[in-house]
Amino acid sequence: MAKTAVKTRTVAMTGNAGCALAMKQINPDVVAAYPITPQTTIVEEFANYVANGQVDTEYVNVESEHSAMSACIGASAAGARVMTTTSSQGLALMWEELSIASAMRLPIVMHNVNRALSGPINIHCDHSDSMGARDMGWVQLFSENAQEAYDNTIIAMRVAEHEDVLLPVMILHDGFITSHAIDRFDILGDDEVKSFVGEYIPKRTLLDVDDPATFGPFAMPAFYYEQRKALRVALDGAKDVVIKVSKEYGELTGRMYGLFEEYKLDDAELGIIVLGSTAGTAKYVVDRMRVEGVKVGLLKPRLFRPFPSAEIADALSHLKAVAVMDRSDSIGALGGPVYVEVKAALYNSSKRPAVQGYVYGLGGRDTGPDQIETVINDIKKVAGGEEAPRETVTLIGVKE
Amino acid sequence: MATIKELSRKPDLLSGGHRLCAGCGASIAVRQVLLGANTPVVAGSATGCLEVSSTPYPFTAWKVPFIHNAFENSAATISGVEAAYQALKRKGKIDKDIKFVAFGGDGGTYDIGLQSLSGAMERGHNMVYVCYDNGAYMNTGIQRSGATPFGAATTTSPAGKVRAGKPQQRKDLTQIIAAHNIPYAAQASISHWKDLIKKAEKAFTVDGPAFINVLAPCPRGWRVGNDETIEIAKLAVQTGFWPLYEVEDGEWTLNFKPKELKPLVDFLKPQGRFRHLFKPGNEQVLEEFQFQINKNWEMLKKRCGVE
């Protein structure tokens, strides 16, 4: 256990309760949110904090997720510290507003509790909702468990409001698996969170009636492109800020987070890449196969946007073969979004492993250790010299 | 209310130089509404003629803080601004008294933005919503909306061999919003500036949500001359097409009570969008339209307690 600068308290609560607690400790000026399974318990818990006077937040119970993000945009432009939370169809309904929030450079922090997109309608976990929003100009931080969801919430606020970033941040954790299961994790005291996130001092706000500014103007071809470039530069720059803020948080709590987590990857020949809660199962399988003498390790992406391509390519360069597991399918593409990103990241490297793509667990289909073991055995063949198939995506755990 | 002399000394909060058409009713509506504010104002607008023409980057015609977000969410956006104001005021980070107003055209209000507006009114934000109703999606080239009058020709409800323009009646948005039991809802017209500015003043003064539906003719869409905007708006009021009334805490008041309404055709005839109604074979459509106006007028009078 690393030495920590503050006393932490260990609690047992659901991932959603942890997220609501982090929101309470941040004590944002405005929360505008709409209930949706499996996020609902966050808005309920937060409503209790409001009802009991434990936060100073203006809590806007909007009539849809579109209005949730619209109100967040208005509130953030007005200079408030703003948070919200959603899932799946709610995130889809916000789609139009997501890219307006990032283009207006508004540091809104949002939990998206991962749930499969309709149809057919399904309330269980996969990442199709978050992945559908991956090009919206938001920073995306994935969490494996309740501890990470809690920690990422506090880190996200600092990242979003950092003057080199000023972008919205989406924190992802897995529906039901993380959101509803009771987990044991460590929390900070209210004062520590308050001092870590500090006070938000916006540069320009709508409430400055003495120096009026226009937000959201109409940009013709002569101006639009440069604004989109500015957005790319800012999002790319968020990577360094995520590293910096996570390091500072690690010094405070002893919990160190990077752009991704490497688990027994140093001396590995085979690698598995998976994000979210399944990484926990994958670690168990890695341990089990290590005992059998299989040199396998795990890379768990944490920051998905901006995608740390060069860092991931370097971390994988010594491997013979890598399996990328996606809990969403990019239908019609080469494979799932993580697979496509990883494969593209490796293409220009001279030293690179063979890469195989797997889709798993759509709509909450259980993904057990056996499936992950099958995947590792699959890439073992490729590492052993067998030619990798060109159509490389495999849907695992699906009934034929 | 301020006298016209006093109003003339108030600064124009929407400057000239915007790109709205000559004779556009929207900018007149905005300027009259902002004249009713006696404290600093933060404004927002839905996507539409007003927003596009007033904020071509890097210019802006707004001399007050202004936000445009998207088409259907002017009300939700301003509700968020107002929530931020409440929170920051409570924390002592702001001490000024500021009012909030959201503008939207009829497309952004009656149709795509109705849910957002209804939600904001129900939540009780201290804000004013102003619809500038020109009876169609004018920004995209005159397509029919829920506010387009019965019989009007638009590019998506054209008059043809078997259709006499829009076959449906318009939606009565003012009454829909009044049914939210908000402190203030009113219908006004840019032709009756004194009435409109007074209504804006009331809307900005009440504690809670307020709504004003303002008739703001579009010469392009209505097919009238650029110099006929005010005249045609006046005829809309005088014929009973657009009654002026207000609902204050549930009290209905008719603000314009002519001894007798002018015949509806006085309003329809000058407009190119109704030209086809005056061709032989469409007499029944005109009759039907007049019947609707009479019926609605009688119902409104009853609600307002007018004999």
Side-chain angles (χ1 to χ4, degrees), chain A residues 351-394:
Chain A
K351 265 186 81 189
R352 58 177 192 231
V355 188
Q356 297 267 80
Y358 301 85
V359 168
Y360 74 98
L362 299 191
R365 178 67 52 88
D366 264 347
T367 304
D370 292 354
Q371 285 180 16
I372 298 171
E373 194 167 334
T374 307
V375 164
I376 295 169
N377 284 328
D378 203 24
I379 57 164
K380 211 159 87 179
K381 287 185 234 158
V382 178
E386 205 171 285
E387 197 178 331
R390 294 192 65 167
E391 298 270 346
T392 46
V393 72
T394 307

Side-chain angles (χ1 to χ4, degrees), chain A residues 92-292:
Chain A
L93 189 56
M94 282 180 187
W95 199 81
E96 174 190 43
E97 292 299 300
L98 295 177
S99 70
I100 294 172
S102 58
M104 285 173 83
R105 306 293 299 277
L106 300 173
I108 299 160
V109 168
M110 170 166 71
H111 291 114
N112 178 63
V113 185
N114 291 310
R115 160 182 154 180
L117 280 178
S118 301
I121 186 168
N122 170 297
I123 55 168
H124 292 276
C125 177
D126 74 30
H127 300 160
S128 51
D129 51 358
S130 317
M131 288 301 172
R134 67 190 185 271
D135 293 338
M136 293 291 104
W138 286 57
V139 174
Q140 287 185 314
L141 282 170
F142 277 83
S143 318
E144 180 187 326
N145 48 36
Q147 180 75 71
E148 291 188 12
Y150 171 84
D151 291 338
N152 278 340
T153 308
I154 297 161
I155 292 167
M157 204 74 244
R158 279 275 305 274
V159 171
E161 292 171 356
H162 194 282
E163 62 174 356
D164 295 342
V165 180
L166 288 174
L167 283 173
V169 180
M170 201 183 291
I171 312 144
L172 300 319
H173 68 264
D174 285 351
F176 291 108
I177 302 161
T178 306
S179 67
H180 283 60
I182 292 179
D183 207 349
R184 180 181 172 277
F185 60 99
D186 293 337
I187 59 165
L188 290 168
D190 290 2
D191 289 346
E192 275 104 27
V193 174
K194 194 178 169 189
S195 96
F196 184 81
V197 296
E199 197 170 333
Y200 174 47
I201 301 160
K203 283 194 173 156
R204 188 139 218 173
T205 91
L206 267 176
L207 298 183
D208 186 357
V209 288
D210 298 323
D211 185 15
T214 286
F215 288 65
F218 176 54
M220 288 295 275
F223 296 102
Y224 179 89
Y225 200 175
E226 285 69 26
Q227 297 203 9
R228 298 307 293 183
K229 182 190 168 189
L231 182 57
R232 167 167 270 285
V233 170
L235 189 58
D236 286 344
K239 188 174 74 181
D240 289 341
V241 177
V242 168
I243 294 170
K244 193 177 148 278
V245 176
S246 302
K247 189 166 172 279
E248 206 181 304
Y249 189 78
E251 283 159 6
L252 186 72
T253 61
R255 294 186 292 278
M256 297 294 180
Y257 296 111
L259 301 173
F260 43 83
E261 181 189 342
E262 293 169 79
Y263 185 76
K264 302 190 178 175
L265 201 65
D266 282 358
D267 64 337
E269 290 175 358
L270 307 175
I272 184 157
I273 298 181
V274 67
L275 42 74
S277 59
T278 310
T281 317
K283 285 174 192 167
Y284 167 76
V285 176
V286 165
D287 289 346
R288 202 166 76 178
M289 294 185 83
R290 281 269 174 176
V291 174
E292 293 160 14

Side-chain angles (χ1 to χ4, degrees), chain A residues 29 56 70 96-97 214-215, chain B residues 60 66 69 72 90-91:
Chain A
D29 298 312
D56 306 306
S70 301
E96 174 190 43
E97 292 299 300
T214 286
F215 288 65
Chain B
T60 182
F66 173 84
N69 183 343
E72 67 282 59
R90 204 161 50 226
K91 287 183 180 174

